[in-house]
Amino acid sequence: MATALLGVPTIVISLTILFSSFVQAQQRDKAAAPVVVQPGAPGQPSRKLPPSTRPTLPPRSQADVEFMQGMIMHHSQAVEMTALIPSHTENKDLRLLGARISSSQSSEIKFMQRWLAARGESTSMAMPGMPDMDMSGRPMPLMPGMLTPQQMEALHQAKGAEFDHLFLAGMIQHHQGALTMVDDLYKTAGSGQTADLFDFTTDVDSGQRAEIKIMQSMLEKEPSKEK
């Protein structure tokens, strides 16, 4: 009997350790489980969602999709213009500027393509500046700022100082068109509201405004042409 009683404390201690380990394991599991919080509407409290909750892409308007598709084409022409620089001018400042524009707009094109693909949308559309026709068989108008085929041909044919001038004037026109596209997007109700699109358009707006100032300064420094 004494022997049996002597074993009681040992059993109690073992059970206590077991229970303590179980509680600690539960606490670790709770700590490891992700906490998903859904912000409440104005004036309403936030609420916790189950750990199994999966994120979904925020809604987008058709204008968002068309803006991204159109801007891919818009950026592509700018990259095409910068690709002419190495063979058309020795101007070091213009070469540096062209490399900057080509790099930033090529990266932005990739972002826009990923954005559209993630939403099951085509990365291209029948758009301006191309030989596409509308339903009436008339040529489609150019997007804001895009160079006409005639302007692009003149740029291809020019060399040296003439190329520099046409490139700067053309790219300023091109950048101003992009600013118009961003402005038009925000004038469309319910568009440009998602965080990623807002951040992207803000970067486009600020970046191209800065480059316009640089190009205007470069134009002002051009030697005057004799009449």
Side-chain angles (χ1 to χ4, degrees):
M1 185 70 175
T3 303
L5 289 174
L6 286 172
V8 172
T10 304
I11 295 172
V12 171
I13 291 171
S14 298
L15 289 173
T16 302
I17 292 172
L18 219 76
F19 180 73
S20 176
S21 299
F22 174 73
V23 170
Q24 288 176 358
Q26 280 193 319
Q27 290 174 339
R28 282 196 300 272
D29 290 343
K30 286 182 180 178
V35 178
V36 182
V37 179
Q38 182 181 50
Q44 299 296 319
S46 299
R47 65 191 184 95
K48 290 184 180 180
L49 301 178
S52 58
T53 303
R54 293 291 179 268
T56 57
L57 290 171
R60 81 285 184 272
S61 69
Q62 185 58 30
D64 291 341
V65 172
E66 292 175 359
F67 169 82
M68 296 297 253
Q69 292 170 332
M71 192 61 83
I72 286 175
M73 185 172 291
H74 200 271
H75 274 29
S76 295
Q77 188 184 63
V79 173
E80 180 186 350
M81 291 168 67
T82 61
L84 297 173
I85 292 177
S87 58
H88 285 64
T89 182
E90 297 296 327
N91 187 323
K92 292 181 180 179
D93 290 336
L94 192 60
R95 285 182 172 224
L96 287 172
L97 175 68
R100 169 178 165 170
I101 293 173
S102 179
S103 176
S104 63
Q105 300 213 13
S106 294
S107 295
E108 289 171 355
I109 286 172
K110 291 177 182 177
F111 167 77
M112 291 185 283
Q113 289 171 334
R114 290 195 302 270
W115 189 95
L116 288 165
R119 290 158 178 78
E121 299 287 351
S122 171
T123 58
S124 62
M125 65 188 299
M127 279 303 291
M130 306 293 138
D132 299 309
M133 303 291 178
D134 63 16
M135 297 300 289
S136 304
R138 296 171 297 188
M140 295 179 73
L142 288 167
M143 281 188 292
M146 284 188 71
L147 273 61
T148 64
Q150 293 76 18
Q151 285 178 299
M152 287 298 293
E153 178 61 24
L155 195 62
H156 275 271
Q157 297 300 322
K159 295 281 186 179
E162 181 185 4
F163 173 85
D164 297 352
H165 179 83
L166 289 177
F167 178 89
L168 290 169
M171 192 60 81
I172 288 173
Q173 168 190 319
H174 205 273
H175 276 26
Q176 288 172 335
L179 298 181
T180 297
M181 291 174 70
V182 171
D183 187 53
D184 287 346
L185 177 69
Y186 284 105
K187 286 179 179 176
T188 305
S191 301
Q193 301 302 307
T194 61
D196 54 354
L197 189 54
F198 177 79
D199 289 343
F200 171 69
T201 52
T202 300
D203 287 344
V204 169
D205 188 272
S206 60
Q208 300 212 12
R209 285 183 190 279
E211 288 171 355
I212 286 173
K213 289 181 180 178
I214 292 171
M215 291 186 286
Q216 288 173 334
S217 176
M218 291 173 72
L219 275 178
E220 291 170 1
K221 292 177 181 177
E222 285 185 345
S224 301
K225 295 181 180 179
E226 295 181 3
K227 295 182 180 180

